[in-house]
Amino acid sequence: MKEYFTKKNLLIAGGILLLALLANNARAADVYGNAGGYSDYIWRGMNQSQGPSAFLDLGVSTDLGLYGGLWVGQVEFDGSIATEEQDWYIGFNKNVMGVNVDVAYWDYGYRGDSNLDFEEAQVKLGFFDNKLHVLHAVGMDDASDYTEVSFSMFSMADFSYGLVKDHGINWEVSRSMDVLGGSLEVGYAEFIADDNALALDEDGFYIGWSRPLF
């Protein structure tokens, strides 16, 4: 079972608490919260829930560019008793000569099956007013590296194409709109596994809705 109070998680939580204290003194800072759910929780083209999944995202960001938080969502995997994903994250965001630079560390934990836990360091660049993004995530220990390009197609839809090293590729197209004080998202995602990978091909439609808590 995932231990919620490991030394590593306490250090991350301490870092986020420090951000909150900084936010108290910063000229402009935000404490944010979002909650919602999906008909299927799909991440990098792969289904993480096999059905409906609710999530909660809480965090803090400062005008210094520092941010951190906790994301929690329901999961279900074949052959695993994991029931919940708990992700701690901390990062730094800055606009440099018109390019949005985001550097972050993510700790992915799975309640019920710690064998699924992993960590990664991410660098994400945003171009053309963040209409085009390039993400590269370096998996730690045995976790796979991941590279993704995503862009907004003239406000009609969002498209992404990603590569999971030694596992496969994925692509996704989605459309978001404001509904009932929140954001409604409809999309289709597909994962195509490498011939020699243990992963399987997947595809499916999903619908989700989320709204800010404060």
Side-chain angles (χ1 to χ4, degrees), residues 34 40 46 56 63 78 90 93 107 144 156 163 165 174 185-186 195 202-205:
N34 294 282
D40 280 289
M46 294 171 281
L56 173 68
D63 62 349
D78 292 336
I90 189 165
N93 183 283
D107 181 313
S144 298
M156 295 170 54
L163 168 66
K165 186 178 180 181
S174 62
E185 181 181 4
V186 179
D195 291 339
E202 298 184 44
D203 64 85
F205 290 93

Side-chain angles (χ1 to χ4, degrees), residues 91-111:
F92 177 75
N93 183 283
K94 190 72 172 178
N95 189 286
V96 180
M97 298 179 66
V99 177
N100 191 69
V101 180
D102 193 307
V103 180
Y105 162 83
W106 282 72
D107 181 313
Y108 300 85
Y110 296 86
R111 187 176 185 182

Side-chain angles (χ1 to χ4, degrees), residues 40-176:
D40 280 289
Y41 165 27
I42 297 176
W43 183 72
R44 297 179 182 175
M46 294 171 281
N47 197 315
Q48 310 290 292
S49 64
Q50 317 304 319
S53 173
F55 73 87
L56 173 68
D57 183 22
L58 300 172
V60 58
S61 62
T62 78
D63 62 349
L64 302 174
L66 296 169
Y67 67 89
L70 171 66
W71 187 96
V72 180
Q74 296 171 300
V75 296
E76 181 180 338
F77 304 103
D78 292 336
S80 172
I81 60 172
T83 59
E84 180 183 284
E85 177 182 339
Q86 180 196 50
D87 304 337
W88 293 92
Y89 59 90
I90 189 165
F92 177 75
N93 183 283
K94 190 72 172 178
N95 189 286
V96 180
M97 298 179 66
V99 177
N100 191 69
V101 180
D102 193 307
V103 180
Y105 162 83
W106 282 72
D107 181 313
Y108 300 85
Y110 296 86
R111 187 176 185 182
D113 192 348
S114 61
N115 291 322
L116 299 176
D117 296 357
F118 69 99
E119 306 158 45
E120 63 182 25
Q122 301 179 359
V123 177
K124 187 175 184 179
L125 304 178
F127 303 92
F128 309 115
D129 294 326
N130 279 331
K131 291 182 174 61
L132 171 67
H133 288 102
V134 178
L135 165 72
H136 183 64
V138 178
M140 300 181 184
D141 297 323
D142 296 326
S144 298
D145 292 354
Y146 180 72
T147 303
E148 180 183 276
V149 176
S150 59
F151 59 91
S152 176
M153 297 185 291
F154 311 108
S155 300
M156 295 170 54
D158 296 322
F159 180 83
S160 67
Y161 178 89
L163 168 66
V164 185
K165 186 178 180 181
D166 299 326
H167 286 275
I169 62 172
N170 70 86
W171 66 272
E172 181 175 344
V173 60
S174 62
R175 177 74 167 91
S176 298

Side-chain angles (χ1 to χ4, degrees), residues 10-25:
L10 287 174
L11 286 172
I12 298 172
I16 294 170
L17 178 60
L18 178 60
L19 284 176
L21 293 174
L22 287 172
N24 222 19
N25 298 313

